Amino acid sequence: MTTPAAKPLEPSPRVLLGPGPSNVHPRVLSALGMPLVGHLDPEFVSLMDEMQGMLRQVFRTENPLTLAVSGTGSAGMEAVVVNVIEPGDKMLVCVNGVFGGRMVDVAQRAGAEVTAIERPWGEVFDPQEVEDAIKKVGPKLVGIVHAETSTGAHQPVQEIARIAHDHGAMIAIDTVTSLAGVPVEIDAWDIDAVYSGTQKCLSCPPGLAPVSFGPRAIEAIKNRKSKVQSWYLDMTMIGRYWGSDRFYHHTAPINMNFALREALALVLEEGLDARFARHALNARALATGLKAMGIDYVTAEGHRLPQLNCVSIPEGVDDLAVRKRLLHDWNVEIGGGLGDLKGRAWRIGLMGYGSRRESVTLVLAALETCLRDSGVSIEPGAALAAAAEVYAEATTATASA
Ligand code: PLP
């Protein structure tokens, strides 16, 4: 039997409008194809320094221990938990979707005594209920997801951080979906540990996890009685690799770091505030267009992420059939619901490079066709007209400012 000759790889040019990964800017893609240098080459070493500075700007922090862990967002989650937590420590985790649930699992595996408090999916936590739980549990660490990708919920964390500190606890936040899409203020909010991922609003392929540890977390790591359970994610060792020692720890994925460097440069060239405003505008246009088609949000009003729009699937519409058709006929990927929302919700991502007027127009037009073909009564063109009005108003407001 002969094996067929392998053909060149030709992935379809998808428009990624789901929960991540998002589309990548051409400059980031070309960084992936740049010539390799060694991971201790002076050029790579200075690139690591440059990236640390850029990550501090994006996280809005002065924390020295700020770097990109080799691994996806889950590696960032694990790095935070296993370094701050020792077996037997108490951790309180706020769960209102898939990723809070994952944090519980990670913390339990790290030997923490975990207490989870829950909120219905799509809702956010009220600081008072977190305070009540902190008083009862007396945790060393409170873990909470800032942008819950499974529901599109935008959790305010500043007040919860203050409460945690008032009761002698630290706070760790998940910013995998929030970073570079909505404000993340590590120093102003006094956050002790944070992790993110590269494939959402940073618009870089998946593969690295930006993290940052503040003074309380560093102190806790220094005072550990036990070794960090994970050799690979031991932040003291990784910190020595990224720090002035350049102590060999592992072979960093060179080209992923090139890509993240370029993605961070794009974020900083645009400016964080301008980037947040762009995400907000495109989300407003999408929401207005969806409303014109009679589509509602799952996420509570006032707590919706502009980069992750979690909406109810209209009655009688086949979730999978629509998503398959979007992919097949328009090359558009949107996400289905997870967990409690499976079959009931779509997740439309407008993240980073993908948060553009073209994305909004394409997804609204494609969805309108699919829904009309599924028998939903929609006035043709109403969604696009409604979205266009939002852009026109924004242009007028900018012109007269
Ligand atoms: N946390 C949140 C909020 C996420 O959205 C994700 C991934 O979508 C993760 C953690 C895990 O990241 P990864 O899939 O990159 O490991």
Side-chain angles (χ1 to χ4, degrees):
M1 201 174 97
T2 54
T3 328
K7 293 197 200 127
L9 183 64
E10 266 185 292
S12 296
R14 301 289 196 220
V15 183
L16 298 175
L17 302 179
S22 61
N23 283 120
V24 166
H25 191 283
R27 263 172 60 189
V28 175
L29 275 184
S30 53
L32 284 167
M34 284 181 183
L36 233 69
V37 296
H39 70 113
L40 292 171
D41 185 303
E43 282 186 21
F44 191 66
V45 165
S46 62
L47 177 123
M48 289 165 89
D49 288 343
E50 185 190 17
M51 283 174 67
Q52 285 192 284
M54 290 169 146
L55 284 171
R56 286 189 196 106
Q57 288 185 64
V58 173
F59 273 131
R60 290 184 163 156
T61 182
E62 302 280 323
N63 287 338
L65 189 57
T66 301
L67 49 81
V69 164
S70 304
T72 65
S74 305
M77 184 188 289
E78 200 138 1
V80 162
V81 172
V82 298
N83 282 275
V84 177
I85 288 287
E86 293 195 63
D89 283 344
K90 290 182 180 158
M91 180 164 173
L92 176 73
V93 184
C94 305
V95 182
N96 57 351
V98 167
F99 295 101
R102 183 173 301 181
M103 209 190 283
V104 169
D105 193 3
V106 167
Q108 285 169 338
R109 287 165 193 252
E113 203 183 292
V114 182
T115 303
I117 52 171
E118 296 192 20
R119 271 262 120 203
W121 286 37
E123 294 184 15
V124 295
F125 286 88
D126 181 74
Q128 187 59 55
E129 65 188 309
V130 182
E131 179 159 30
D132 293 345
I134 292 177
K135 278 188 186 158
K136 223 183 268 169
V137 174
K140 175 181 187 180
L141 182 65
V142 176
I144 194 159
V145 179
H146 184 220
E148 182 45 84
T149 325
S150 57
T151 66
H154 187 182
Q155 172 71 55
V157 291
Q158 185 171 14
E159 177 65 3
I160 294 176
R162 190 192 57 73
I163 291 168
H165 296 141
D166 282 353
H167 295 280
M170 287 179 280
I171 181 163
I173 64 169
D174 176 322
T175 64
V176 170
T177 285
S178 50
L179 192 66
V182 289
V184 171
E185 300 275 352
I186 296 309
D187 286 1
W189 298 344
D190 203 5
I191 302 299
D192 300 297
V194 57
Y195 59 89
S196 190
T198 44
Q199 74 273 23
K200 313 270 187 179
C201 297
L202 290 171
S203 273
C204 183
L208 291 175
V211 296
S212 184
F213 292 81
R216 293 184 198 86
I218 300 284
E219 204 47 34
I221 295 171
K222 273 197 194 136
N223 293 331
R224 288 181 67 97
K225 293 183 189 66
S226 56
K227 272 190 172 181
V228 172
Q229 160 228 5
S230 163
W231 180 90
Y232 193 65
L233 297 174
D234 185 322
M235 286 311 303
T236 308
M237 291 199 286
I238 298 176
R240 286 182 66 199
Y241 175 39
W242 281 75
S244 51
D245 290 10
R246 298 298 162 191
F247 163 83
Y248 163 67
H249 178 255
H250 66 284
T251 311
I254 308 296
N255 289 52
M256 263 311 297
N257 280 280
F258 286 172
L260 179 56
R261 187 264 173 218
E262 211 54 11
L264 291 168
L266 284 161
V267 172
L268 297 172
E269 281 166 28
E270 179 176 13
L272 283 169
D273 293 333
R275 195 172 181 91
F276 302 148
R278 171 166 63 84
H279 280 80
L281 170 63
N282 289 314
R284 209 160 61 241
L286 178 74
T288 310
L290 290 172
K291 192 167 171 216
M293 287 196 281
I295 297 182
D296 286 331
Y297 277 65
V298 167
T299 325
E301 178 106 51
H303 294 288
R304 293 173 188 159
L305 289 164
Q307 62 270 52
L308 197 286
N309 299 269
C310 188
V311 299
S312 297
I313 300 174
E315 202 67 37
V317 173
D318 182 338
D319 166 29
L320 259 187
V322 169
R323 284 192 287 127
K324 267 192 189 157
R325 184 164 174 214
L326 288 176
L327 204 59
H328 184 267
D329 292 359
W330 290 274
N331 253 323
V332 167
E333 176 185 280
I334 65 166
L338 289 181
D340 293 1
L341 298 174
K342 194 168 163 45
R344 297 200 292 120
W346 286 321
R347 290 177 301 151
I348 306 173
L350 295 173
M351 298 180 174
Y353 185 55
S355 176
R356 285 184 287 162
R357 184 170 181 168
E358 302 93 287
S359 312
V360 173
T361 306
L362 176 61
V363 77
L364 286 175
L367 267 180
E368 180 187 301
T369 309
C370 292
L371 294 182
R372 281 170 53 81
D373 290 352
S374 306
V376 182
S377 156
I378 293 173
E379 191 195 325
L384 286 182
E389 217 167 282
V390 172
Y391 288 113
E393 275 165 18
T395 311
T396 316
T398 315
S400 56

